[in-house]
Amino acid sequence: MTEASTKEIAKRALGLIDLTNLNDDCTAEDVAALIERSTTPYGHTAAICIWPRFVKQAAELLKNSPVRIATVVNFPAGGEDTAAVIEETKKAVADGADEVDLVMPYRAFAEGRRGFAEDQIKQVRGAIPAPAQLKVILETGELKDPRLIHLASEIAIAQGADFIKTSTGKVEVNATLEAAEIMLNVLRETSKEDHRVVGFKPAGGVRTLEEAAEYLKLADDLMGSNWVSSATFRFGASGLLDAVLAGIEGRDNDTKETY
Protein backbone atom coordinates (compact mmCIF):
# COMPACT_ATOMS: atom_id res chain seq x y z
CA MET A 1 0.00 0.00 0.00
CA THR A 2 1.12 3.57 -0.62
CA GLU A 3 1.69 5.88 2.34
CA ALA A 4 -1.54 7.72 1.52
CA SER A 5 -3.62 4.54 1.26
CA THR A 6 -2.04 3.18 4.45
CA LYS A 7 -3.07 6.29 6.32
CA GLU A 8 -6.57 6.16 4.83
CA ILE A 9 -7.07 2.51 5.85
CA ALA A 10 -5.68 3.23 9.31
CA LYS A 11 -8.06 6.13 9.89
CA ARG A 12 -10.97 4.05 8.64
CA ALA A 13 -10.11 1.04 10.80
CA LEU A 14 -9.60 2.94 14.07
CA GLY A 15 -13.29 3.46 14.78
CA LEU A 16 -14.12 -0.15 13.86
CA ILE A 17 -11.96 -1.88 16.48
CA ASP A 18 -13.30 -3.80 19.46
CA LEU A 19 -10.09 -3.38 21.46
CA THR A 20 -9.76 -6.72 23.18
CA ASN A 21 -8.14 -8.29 26.21
CA LEU A 22 -9.44 -11.79 26.80
CA ASN A 23 -6.17 -13.14 28.11
CA ASP A 24 -6.55 -15.69 30.89
CA ASP A 25 -4.29 -13.62 33.16
CA CYS A 26 -6.03 -10.29 32.52
CA THR A 27 -6.17 -8.05 35.60
CA ALA A 28 -8.11 -4.96 36.61
CA GLU A 29 -4.96 -2.96 35.89
CA ASP A 30 -4.85 -4.41 32.38
CA VAL A 31 -8.46 -3.37 31.81
CA ALA A 32 -7.74 0.16 32.98
CA ALA A 33 -4.80 0.30 30.55
CA LEU A 34 -7.00 -1.05 27.74
CA ILE A 35 -9.57 1.63 28.40
CA GLU A 36 -6.88 4.29 28.32
CA ARG A 37 -5.64 2.96 24.97
CA SER A 38 -9.16 3.00 23.49
CA THR A 39 -9.13 6.78 23.15
CA THR A 40 -6.34 8.14 20.97
CA PRO A 41 -5.36 11.58 19.65
CA TYR A 42 -6.98 10.53 16.35
CA GLY A 43 -10.27 9.20 17.67
CA HIS A 44 -11.57 6.28 19.68
CA THR A 45 -12.14 2.61 19.07
CA ALA A 46 -15.70 1.35 18.70
CA ALA A 47 -15.57 -0.67 21.91
CA ILE A 48 -13.45 -2.57 24.34
CA CYS A 49 -14.04 -6.31 24.71
CA ILE A 50 -13.31 -7.82 28.12
CA TRP A 51 -14.19 -10.67 30.47
CA PRO A 52 -17.54 -10.29 32.26
CA ARG A 53 -15.87 -9.90 35.66
CA PHE A 54 -14.44 -6.55 34.55
CA VAL A 55 -17.60 -5.02 33.07
CA LYS A 56 -18.61 -3.12 36.20
CA GLN A 57 -15.15 -1.59 36.50
CA ALA A 58 -15.19 -0.62 32.82
CA ALA A 59 -18.66 0.94 33.11
CA GLU A 60 -17.39 3.23 35.85
CA LEU A 61 -14.23 4.19 33.98
CA LEU A 62 -16.06 4.74 30.68
CA LYS A 63 -18.93 6.77 32.12
CA ASN A 64 -19.88 9.47 29.55
CA SER A 65 -17.48 7.95 26.98
CA PRO A 66 -18.57 6.97 23.45
CA VAL A 67 -16.51 3.78 23.72
CA ARG A 68 -18.87 0.83 24.13
CA ILE A 69 -18.35 -2.10 26.47
CA ALA A 70 -18.47 -5.57 24.92
CA THR A 71 -18.10 -8.77 26.88
CA VAL A 72 -18.22 -12.49 26.19
CA VAL A 73 -20.46 -15.31 27.43
CA ASN A 74 -20.23 -19.06 26.98
CA PHE A 75 -16.63 -18.23 26.15
CA PRO A 76 -14.57 -19.78 24.75
CA ALA A 77 -15.94 -23.31 24.86
CA GLY A 78 -19.41 -22.77 23.41
CA GLY A 79 -20.90 -25.05 26.03
CA GLU A 80 -24.41 -26.39 26.51
CA ASP A 81 -25.43 -25.08 29.93
CA THR A 82 -27.89 -22.55 28.57
CA ALA A 83 -29.26 -21.59 32.00
CA ALA A 84 -25.77 -20.63 33.17
CA VAL A 85 -25.15 -18.64 29.99
CA ILE A 86 -28.38 -16.72 30.50
CA GLU A 87 -27.43 -15.82 34.07
CA GLU A 88 -23.98 -14.77 32.88
CA THR A 89 -25.62 -12.61 30.23
CA LYS A 90 -28.08 -10.95 32.59
CA LYS A 91 -25.32 -10.07 35.05
CA ALA A 92 -23.12 -8.65 32.30
CA VAL A 93 -25.90 -6.38 31.06
CA ALA A 94 -26.78 -5.34 34.61
CA ASP A 95 -23.13 -4.48 35.22
CA GLY A 96 -23.11 -2.20 32.18
CA ALA A 97 -22.29 -4.22 29.06
CA ASP A 98 -23.50 -2.60 25.84
CA GLU A 99 -22.75 -5.67 23.73
CA VAL A 100 -22.66 -9.39 24.51
CA ASP A 101 -20.58 -11.73 22.35
CA LEU A 102 -22.08 -15.22 22.69
CA VAL A 103 -20.18 -18.30 21.61
CA MET A 104 -22.89 -20.43 20.04
CA PRO A 105 -22.77 -24.12 21.01
CA TYR A 106 -20.90 -24.85 17.82
CA ARG A 107 -19.97 -28.44 18.66
CA ALA A 108 -23.61 -29.34 19.26
CA PHE A 109 -24.50 -27.55 16.04
CA ALA A 110 -21.79 -29.36 14.05
CA GLU A 111 -23.09 -32.68 15.43
CA GLY A 112 -26.47 -31.93 13.88
CA ARG A 113 -28.26 -30.47 16.92
CA ARG A 114 -29.41 -27.38 15.10
CA GLY A 115 -32.44 -26.87 17.34
CA PHE A 116 -30.30 -26.74 20.46
CA ALA A 117 -28.11 -24.03 18.97
CA GLU A 118 -31.15 -22.07 17.81
CA ASP A 119 -32.74 -22.27 21.24
CA GLN A 120 -29.66 -21.11 23.11
CA ILE A 121 -29.19 -18.10 20.84
CA LYS A 122 -32.89 -17.25 21.12
CA GLN A 123 -32.87 -17.45 24.91
CA VAL A 124 -29.73 -15.35 25.25
CA ARG A 125 -31.23 -12.80 22.85
CA GLY A 126 -34.24 -12.63 25.16
CA ALA A 127 -31.99 -11.84 28.11
CA ILE A 128 -30.48 -8.78 26.40
CA PRO A 129 -32.80 -5.76 26.53
CA ALA A 130 -32.46 -3.01 23.94
CA PRO A 131 -30.38 -1.04 23.28
CA ALA A 132 -27.77 -3.64 24.30
CA GLN A 133 -26.72 -5.83 21.36
CA LEU A 134 -25.99 -9.50 20.73
CA LYS A 135 -23.03 -10.70 18.68
CA VAL A 136 -22.97 -14.43 17.95
CA ILE A 137 -19.57 -16.11 17.58
CA LEU A 138 -19.78 -19.00 15.11
CA GLU A 139 -16.22 -20.35 15.61
CA THR A 140 -15.86 -20.80 11.87
CA GLY A 141 -12.40 -22.35 12.08
CA GLU A 142 -13.88 -25.26 14.00
CA LEU A 143 -17.00 -25.59 11.84
CA LYS A 144 -14.75 -25.69 8.75
CA ASP A 145 -17.45 -26.79 6.28
CA PRO A 146 -18.67 -23.79 4.23
CA ARG A 147 -22.21 -25.18 4.34
CA LEU A 148 -22.12 -25.25 8.15
CA ILE A 149 -20.75 -21.70 8.29
CA HIS A 150 -23.52 -20.56 5.95
CA LEU A 151 -26.22 -22.30 7.98
CA ALA A 152 -24.82 -21.09 11.32
CA SER A 153 -24.88 -17.53 9.99
CA GLU A 154 -28.51 -17.90 8.92
CA ILE A 155 -29.52 -19.38 12.28
CA ALA A 156 -27.78 -16.66 14.30
CA ILE A 157 -29.46 -13.93 12.26
CA ALA A 158 -32.86 -15.60 12.43
CA GLN A 159 -32.61 -15.82 16.22
CA GLY A 160 -31.89 -12.13 16.62
CA ALA A 161 -28.15 -11.56 16.35
CA ASP A 162 -27.12 -7.95 15.80
CA PHE A 163 -23.71 -9.12 14.57
CA ILE A 164 -22.25 -12.42 13.46
CA LYS A 165 -18.62 -12.95 14.46
CA THR A 166 -16.10 -15.41 13.10
CA SER A 167 -14.12 -16.57 16.08
CA THR A 168 -13.11 -16.52 19.72
CA GLY A 169 -9.43 -16.06 18.91
CA LYS A 170 -8.79 -19.11 21.08
CA VAL A 171 -8.63 -21.89 18.48
CA GLU A 172 -6.12 -22.86 15.81
CA VAL A 173 -7.98 -21.21 12.90
CA ASN A 174 -9.74 -17.95 13.61
CA ALA A 175 -10.82 -15.22 11.17
CA THR A 176 -10.28 -16.03 7.50
CA LEU A 177 -11.31 -14.24 4.35
CA GLU A 178 -13.02 -17.43 3.15
CA ALA A 179 -15.31 -17.53 6.19
CA ALA A 180 -15.84 -13.78 5.96
CA GLU A 181 -17.05 -14.07 2.37
CA ILE A 182 -19.59 -16.74 3.31
CA MET A 183 -20.89 -14.72 6.26
CA LEU A 184 -21.10 -11.47 4.34
CA ASN A 185 -22.98 -13.18 1.52
CA VAL A 186 -25.52 -14.43 4.05
CA LEU A 187 -25.86 -10.90 5.41
CA ARG A 188 -26.41 -9.61 1.89
CA GLU A 189 -29.08 -12.24 1.21
CA THR A 190 -30.96 -11.74 4.46
CA SER A 191 -30.87 -7.95 4.30
CA LYS A 192 -32.77 -8.13 1.02
CA GLU A 193 -35.41 -10.34 2.61
CA ASP A 194 -36.15 -8.70 5.97
CA HIS A 195 -34.38 -5.31 5.67
CA ARG A 196 -32.83 -5.73 9.13
CA VAL A 197 -29.28 -4.44 9.53
CA VAL A 198 -26.95 -7.11 10.94
CA GLY A 199 -23.22 -6.54 11.29
CA PHE A 200 -20.08 -8.61 10.77
CA LYS A 201 -17.04 -9.03 13.04
CA PRO A 202 -13.84 -10.82 12.04
CA ALA A 203 -11.93 -11.67 15.21
CA GLY A 204 -8.64 -13.35 16.00
CA GLY A 205 -5.53 -12.94 13.87
CA VAL A 206 -6.21 -9.58 12.21
CA ARG A 207 -2.98 -7.84 13.13
CA THR A 208 -1.83 -5.69 10.21
CA LEU A 209 -3.27 -2.90 8.12
CA GLU A 210 -2.82 -5.06 5.04
CA GLU A 211 -5.06 -7.73 6.59
CA ALA A 212 -7.59 -5.13 7.74
CA ALA A 213 -7.65 -3.67 4.23
CA GLU A 214 -8.50 -7.09 2.76
CA TYR A 215 -11.53 -7.48 5.02
CA LEU A 216 -12.70 -3.94 4.36
CA LYS A 217 -12.37 -4.42 0.59
CA LEU A 218 -14.34 -7.66 0.80
CA ALA A 219 -17.11 -5.92 2.73
CA ASP A 220 -17.14 -3.00 0.30
CA ASP A 221 -17.31 -5.33 -2.70
CA LEU A 222 -20.12 -7.49 -1.30
CA MET A 223 -22.16 -5.01 0.72
CA GLY A 224 -21.50 -1.70 -1.01
CA SER A 225 -19.02 1.07 -0.35
CA ASN A 226 -21.29 2.83 2.15
CA TRP A 227 -22.13 -0.20 4.28
CA VAL A 228 -19.15 -0.38 6.62
CA SER A 229 -19.47 1.61 9.83
CA SER A 230 -19.10 0.83 13.53
CA ALA A 231 -22.79 -0.12 13.48
CA THR A 232 -22.16 -2.87 10.89
CA PHE A 233 -18.51 -3.88 11.03
CA ARG A 234 -15.99 -4.50 13.81
CA PHE A 235 -12.51 -5.93 14.09
CA GLY A 236 -11.98 -8.03 17.22
CA ALA A 237 -8.31 -7.39 17.94
CA SER A 238 -5.71 -6.05 20.30
CA GLY A 239 -2.55 -5.50 18.26
CA LEU A 240 -4.38 -3.96 15.30
CA LEU A 241 -4.64 -0.68 17.19
CA ASP A 242 -0.84 -0.41 17.27
CA ALA A 243 -0.72 -0.97 13.52
CA VAL A 244 -3.45 1.64 13.02
CA LEU A 245 -1.65 4.26 15.08
CA ALA A 246 1.62 3.52 13.30
CA GLY A 247 -0.15 3.87 9.94
CA ILE A 248 -1.71 7.20 10.86
CA GLU A 249 1.61 8.51 12.13
CA GLY A 250 3.62 7.14 9.21
CA ARG A 251 5.95 4.90 11.21
CA ASP A 252 6.76 1.21 11.35
CA ASN A 253 4.82 -1.07 13.68
CA ASP A 254 6.65 -3.93 15.37
CA THR A 255 4.19 -4.92 18.09
CA LYS A 256 2.43 -8.29 18.19
CA GLU A 257 -1.19 -9.07 18.94
CA THR A 258 -1.86 -10.94 22.20
CA TYR A 259 -5.38 -12.08 21.28
Side-chain angles (χ1 to χ4, degrees):
M1 294 190 294
T2 66
E3 184 176 344
S5 63
T6 295
K7 186 169 290 191
E8 181 182 349
I9 291 294
K11 288 180 177 178
R12 188 180 184 195
L14 174 59
L16 305 175
I17 296 173
D18 283 0
L19 186 62
T20 301
N21 188 332
L22 294 170
N23 297 332
D24 293 336
D25 60 356
C26 183
T27 66
E29 291 74 21
D30 293 331
V31 171
L34 191 78
I35 289 169
E36 188 171 348
R37 289 182 64 217
S38 69
T39 298
T40 81
Y42 314 105
H44 58 81
T45 65
I48 60 165
C49 187
I50 53 177
W51 292 106
R53 63 183 179 271
F54 298 118
V55 168
K56 188 173 287 188
Q57 172 198 358
E60 185 62 32
L61 292 175
L62 285 169
K63 194 178 294 182
N64 302 319
S65 168
V67 177
R68 293 169 67 83
I69 300 168
T71 193
V72 290
V73 298
N74 208 22
F75 187 96
E80 298 182 26
D81 189 346
T82 300
V85 179
I86 290 169
E87 287 308 306
E88 187 179 29
T89 300
K90 288 179 177 178
K91 185 176 189 308
V93 174
D95 284 348
D98 300 300
E99 302 170 2
V100 175
D101 291 23
L102 163 72
V103 184
M104 69 175 285
Y106 62 88
R107 292 186 186 87
F109 171 75
E111 291 167 1
R113 295 159 60 199
R114 169 179 173 173
F116 182 87
E118 287 178 324
D119 184 64
Q120 186 178 103
I121 296 168
K122 182 179 181 179
Q123 289 198 53
V124 173
R125 167 78 272 177
I128 302 174
Q133 293 187 306
L134 170 65
K135 303 194 197 88
V136 177
I137 304 171
L138 309 185
E139 202 66 290
T140 54
E142 293 293 288
L143 292 180
K144 298 182 177 69
D145 186 336
R147 292 169 298 179
L148 285 179
I149 296 169
H150 190 282
L151 181 57
S153 300
E154 289 181 328
I155 286 172
I157 294 166
Q159 298 308 319
D162 296 297
F163 276 76
I164 50 175
K165 175 178 171 181
T166 59
S167 331
T168 59
K170 300 289 189 179
V171 294
E172 186 175 345
V173 177
N174 292 288
T176 67
L177 288 168
E178 292 75 17
E181 184 172 3
I182 295 166
M183 295 166 71
L184 285 165
N185 273 317
V186 174
L187 289 177
R188 183 172 63 174
E189 293 162 9
T190 55
S191 67
K192 291 176 183 176
E193 295 168 5
D194 60 17
H195 306 289
R196 188 168 72 87
V197 177
V198 179
F200 169 67
K201 178 177 173 179
V206 183
R207 300 179 177 88
T208 69
L209 284 179
E210 289 77 12
E211 290 165 335
E214 290 180 316
Y215 283 97
L216 290 171
K217 182 180 186 305
L218 182 64
D220 287 344
D221 288 346
L222 292 177
M223 306 300 291
S225 58
N226 296 320
W227 183 78
V228 170
S229 73
S230 63
T232 56
F233 189 103
R234 303 284 182 84
F235 290 110
S238 59
L240 182 60
L241 178 60
D242 296 308
V244 162
L245 295 178
I248 292 173
E249 294 170 358
R251 55 180 174 78
D252 291 333
N253 172 52
D254 57 4
T255 59
K256 294 186 186 299
E257 188 178 63
T258 57
Y259 158 64

